Amino acid sequence: MASGPGAATLKKCLEVLRDARNDSEQLAALLLVTKAVRAGDLDSKTRRQIFDAIGFTFPNRLLSSRQAPPGCPEHTFRALGLTLLACFCTEPELAGHSQVLNKIPTFADVLLSPCQPDCTSMVDDAYQCLAAVLATPRGPREMVTKGAASALCQAYVNGGYGSERALALLLGLLAVSEAKCWQRDAPHLLAVLSKLSEEFVRAEDGSKFELCELLPRFIPLSPPLAEVSQGSECVRQLYKGLASILGSKLSQSQRDPALKLAASLTQACGSEWIPAGSTGSKFLALLVNLACVEVRLTLEEPEPLEVEGKKEVVTACYVLIEMGIQECLKEEESLLDEAQRMQLMRIMEEAFGAVVFYLRQVKEEELQDPFVFASVRILGAWMAEETSSLKQEICELLPFLVRYARKLFKEGGPAENLPQTAGLVSSDSSILGQDALRFLLPGFCHLTAEDRPRDILISEGAPALLCDYFLHQWGVLTSQPGSLTSTEMSLQTLCGIFLNLVVTAPNLIRQEKTFSSLMDTLLKSLPFLLPQKDHLVLAANIATLGLMMARILSSSAVLQKTGSAKEFFRATICFLSQAHTAQADPGSHGLALAVSPAYVSAWDDIRELWFLGMQALASCVPLFPWLPQAVLQAQWLEELSELLTRVTAASVDFELIAAFQAVLVELARASKPCREVILSHHGEEWANLYGMAALEQCLSKQ
C-alpha cells in the first residue's frame, strides 16, 4: 500500500468501491482513487488491490459513457477510464489481458482526436497503455491488426501533443513486427518516412546525424521503396541529404550513422537510389571508397571489434562494397566509368585483404558470431567475381572457409541473430543464416578449375561436404514447390563444381563413396525435373553432370541395369534430342535448323552444357549395352534424320555437325539396329551432305 497521509484515504476509497450502492458513491470514491493513481506513488500491491476492487467492468463503463458529471468536460469519464487502465497496464499480466488488448482501437482514437489543453492526460494515458501492450507477447500483433500502427503514424505526422512518443512506439513496433506493419500500413509508414526525409534534408545541426540513426528503421525492404511515387521522393531526399553529409569532413560518430543509412537504402533499392550521371558516379565511388577505408581501418587493428557498434558499421560497409562489386562488373548501364572501376577494384582488393586478415584471426568460440558470417558472405561475393587477386591469401584461408561452412551446415547457424545489414535479403531468406556455403559456391566453382586451390579443397574434404549439401538442397527444392531461386542457383553452381572435378580429378569421383550417392540422386532427379519447363537450366546441368559421371562410374552398382539408370538416360535423350527444330529461313524459301522455342530463352545458359552432354552421351554408348535400345525407343534417329534432310545444310554450323556425328558414329558402331535405321533414312546421303566423314565410313562397312 502507498505510504503517507493519503494511504488511509485510499484504503477507505477502495472499501467504498467494493461496497458502493450506486454510481454516484462509486464515482466519488473513484475520483479519489484516480487522483492517487495520477500522483504515481502507488506500489504494485496497491495497484493490484485497485484492480481487485473494480476489475475491468467499471473502466469499460467509463470509456463507453457519453455523459459527464455536471460542470465537467464531456470527456471526464473517458479520461478516468483511461487513467485506470494505464494504472492496470503497469502490471504486465494485466497489460496482456484481452480486455486491454480490445481497447487498442480506443487508445488509437484518443491519439487521433483533437487534443485540447485539458486532454493531455488522456493522451499520456493512451501512450502509456500502448507502451505496456507493446511489451507483451501478443501485443505487437494486436497493435498491427487493430490499427495502432497506422494511428501512431498519423499521430507523428500530425505533430500534435505527444507525437515524439508516437515515433518511439513506432520504432519499438517495427523492431518486432516490421513485415506485418509494412504489409498492412505501408501508406502511413511512407508518410512518416516522408516527414523524416524532409527533416533530414533541412537539418543543419546534430539532429541530421540522429536522423541517420533513425531513418533505416523506416526504410522497407519489401515492397520496393522506389515503386511508388511517395517512396521515390523519399529516396531522392535521402540521397540529397547523404550527399551533403558525406561530401563534408566528418568525425567517426558522424560518419558511422551515415554509412548505415546508405547501406539501408542499398538493401532496399540496390544502386538505383543513386542518380545516373557524373554527380551520381562520383558519389557512388566516394561511398564505396569510404566503406573500404572503414573496413581496413577496423579489421586491420589488433582488436578490431572491441568498440561498441563497430560490427554494425562494418557490416553496413559490406553492403556498400557489394554494390561496388556489382557496379564494377556491369557491362551496361553502370554508374561508373572505366577509370572509376579500375580505381575501385584496387581499393576493394585492399579491403578484402583486411577481411581475409580478420577471418584468419577468428577463434573457434567466435564461429557463431553473425559478424563472422557477414564477413564470409562478402568474401564469397568477391571470390565469385574476382578470381585473380588475393589468390595466395584466399588459398591459405580455404581450410578455415571449408571448416566454417561445414560447421554451420551440420549444426545450424546464427540465422536469427543476423543484423539487418548482413546481406541483401532474398525471397527465401529463412535459410540464409546457416547457409554460408550458398555464398561460397561461386568462388569454389572458380577455384576447383585451378590446381592448387582444388587440391586444398579436396584435402579439406570439401567434395564430400558439397555432395551432402547438394542432397540437402535437392530435398529443399522438391519439398517446397514453387520458385526457389537461390536453391536452384546453388544446385546449378554445385553442378559446375562437380563438372570441374569430373574433368580434373576423375579418380576422386571413383574413390569417394559420396559420389555414388550423388550419382543415385542425379539418376532420380532428372526424370522428375525435366517435365517442369521452368527448371530447364537446372535440368541441363544435372543431365550433363550425370552423363559425365556415368562415364567414370559405369561399373558401379548404381548404373548397372537399374531402372533409375535407364530412366535417367531416357530423360537425357529427351533433353538432348528436343533442343533443335526446323523453322522457316527468312533468307530463303527453305527451312533452317534453329533452337527449339522451349529452349530459346535458356539457350545462352545451357548451350555449352548441351554440347558437353552430347560428347558425354557418345562416350557412354560403348559402356552401356542397353543404351542404343533406349535411343531407338525414343525414335531420335528417325527424328534427327528427318531434321537434317529437311533443313538447308548451310544453316547447320560445324560444331553442331560434329556433335551429331560423334553420337551417331558410336550408335552405329555399337548397335546393328541403330545402323540400319540410319541407313534406311538416307543416312549415307546426308552424312555426305554435311561432311560427316567418320559416319560415312562407319555406315559403309558391312
Side-chain angles (χ1 to χ4, degrees), residues 3 32 212 252 263 266 297 365 378 423 429 505 576 652-654 665:
S3 59
L32 290 173
C212 279
Q252 189 78 50
T266 301
L297 287 175
E365 62 269 20
I378 190 64
S429 57
L576 294 170
V652 188
D653 64 42
F654 176 77
V665 166

Side-chain angles (χ1 to χ4, degrees), residues 15-37:
E15 292 172 356
V16 172
L17 280 171
R18 279 194 298 269
D19 304 329
R21 289 164 297 186
N22 55 54
D23 285 355
S24 58
E25 286 184 11
Q26 203 169 37
L27 178 61
L30 190 61
L31 288 169
L32 290 173
V33 171
T34 52
K35 185 176 181 181
V37 167

